[in-house]
Amino acid sequence: MTTYEIRDDPDDLPIICAPLAEAERRGSRRAARLGIEVLIYEMHPTRGERFIGAI
């Protein structure tokens, strides 16, 4: 099952989100609250990690 993660920095601990919409929503809120760019990654059990984009 694919999950998504948001991070403030590639090396930071992730915040795990189930659907992409949740990751985008939480990432937008976090970016607005902290005033920084938030990164979204797709995590797949066999394909591994893939960078989706930044908010």
Side-chain angles (χ1 to χ4, degrees):
M1 179 173 140
T2 301
T3 59
Y4 297 89
E5 296 179 354
I6 58 173
R7 303 179 195 167
D8 299 338
D9 184 81
D11 296 327
D12 281 353
L13 292 174
I15 298 170
I16 300 169
C17 305
L20 179 57
E22 178 187 357
E24 291 171 338
R25 184 178 65 250
R26 291 178 73 179
S28 293
R29 289 181 186 164
R30 187 168 180 82
R33 185 175 69 245
L34 299 176
I36 60 172
E37 188 173 68
V38 175
L39 310 173
I40 300 176
Y41 289 86
E42 177 185 66
M43 305 303 289
H44 191 275
T46 57
R47 292 187 302 240
E49 176 181 289
R50 182 173 71 106
F51 177 70
I52 298 292
I55 295 175

